[in-house]
Amino acid sequence: MTDAGPVDREAWRRDWERAAEPYLLAASLLFLASYAVQVLVPGLSPGWQAFWTLVTVVTWGLFIAEYLARLLISDDRRHFVRTHWLDLLVTALPLLRPLRLVETHDRMQRRRDHPRLALEARVMAYASLTALLLGFAASLAVYHDERHAPGSTVRTFGDAVWWACSTLTTTGYGDITPVTARGRVTGAVLMFVGVALVGAVVGSFSSWLLRRFRREGET
C-alpha cells in the first residue's frame, strides 16, 4: 500500500502530459504568431499592441503553469528537473519551444505499436520541421534586436532569414553578422542546435541509403 501513492502520482503526471500536449502545441504556435506580429507589423495601434502583448504573456504563463503543475505532481521533483531539463529550458526561453517537437514525437510513437513511417524518415521529418520553426524564431529575434542597432547588417527580415539559414546549416558566409549581445547569443545557440539537427538529418539519410543499397545487394 505504501508504494501505490508514488505509482499513482507518476501515472497521473503521464496522463497530464498526454492530455496537455495538443493544447501546448497550439499555445506554442500562438506564442510564435503573436511575437511575429509584434516584430514584423510596424505601427500597430495601441489596442492591437496591447492585445498581442497579452497573448504573449498569457501563453508564456501557460507554459510556466504547466511545467510547475507537472513538477508538483511528480513524486521525485529533483529527478524530474534533471530528466526534463529541456522542458525547463523552453519554458524559460519560449522561442526555443520548437525543440520540444522531438519529445512530442517520442511520446506519440510510444503510443503506437507500429509507427507509420520508417525510423529514418521520422527523424528527418521532425528534425527538418524543428529546424524550420527554430530558424523562423531566430530570424524574428535577431531582426528585433539588430534592425536599429548601429553598424548592424540586418536591416530587413529577409536579411535575418538569410542569416538564420546560413547559421543553421553552419555555412556561415559572414556577409550578415549580428552586432548586439543578444543577437550573438542567438547565433551561438542556433549554430549549436544547427549542428545537431543537420547531423540528425544527414545521418538518417545516410542510414537509409546504406540500408537500401544493402537490400539491393542481397537481391
Side-chain angles (χ1 to χ4, degrees), residues 11-26:
W12 186 17
R13 182 177 61 81
R14 289 192 295 269
D15 291 340
W16 173 284
E17 292 175 347
R18 188 179 303 111
E21 199 61 54
Y23 301 101
L24 289 175
L25 178 59

Side-chain angles (χ1 to χ4, degrees), residues 131-151:
L132 180 64
L133 292 175
L134 196 62
F136 179 65
S139 300
L140 291 172
V142 166
Y143 180 57
H144 178 262
D145 293 333
E146 296 282 327
R147 56 182 168 180
H148 299 307

Side-chain angles (χ1 to χ4, degrees), residues 40-88:
L40 298 178
V41 180
L44 283 174
S45 66
W48 280 112
Q49 182 66 46
F51 171 77
W52 288 114
T53 301
L54 179 63
V55 171
T56 302
V57 172
V58 169
T59 50
W60 197 351
L62 178 64
F63 302 148
I64 297 174
E66 192 273 339
Y67 177 84
L68 292 178
R70 287 192 292 142
L71 178 63
L72 293 175
I73 292 173
S74 299
D75 180 63
D76 189 343
R77 295 172 185 172
R78 291 185 178 180
H79 178 73
F80 176 84
V81 173
R82 289 195 304 267
T83 57
H84 292 74
W85 60 269
L86 180 60
D87 290 349
L88 180 59

Side-chain angles (χ1 to χ4, degrees), residues 11 14 21 34-35 37 41 52 71 74-75 84 87 98 106-107 118 122 126 152 167 191 196 198 204-205:
R14 289 192 295 269
E21 199 61 54
S34 65
Y35 183 68
V37 169
V41 180
W52 288 114
L71 178 63
S74 299
D75 180 63
H84 292 74
D87 290 349
D106 290 338
R107 290 175 183 171
R122 297 201 308 270
Y126 275 82
S152 174
T167 303
M191 283 186 283
V198 172
S204 299
F205 184 68

Side-chain angles (χ1 to χ4, degrees), residues 95-141:
L95 286 178
L96 295 179
R97 290 199 72 84
L99 293 176
R100 289 199 74 234
L101 281 175
V102 178
E103 186 178 354
T104 301
H105 163 67
D106 290 338
R107 290 175 183 171
M108 292 174 62
Q109 292 304 319
R110 284 198 293 266
R111 302 175 203 169
R112 300 175 181 169
D113 295 330
H114 303 285
R116 298 179 182 178
L117 298 174
L119 175 61
E120 292 86 355
R122 297 201 308 270
V123 171
M124 287 188 288
Y126 275 82
S128 299
L129 182 58
T130 300
L132 180 64
L133 292 175
L134 196 62
F136 179 65
S139 300
L140 291 172

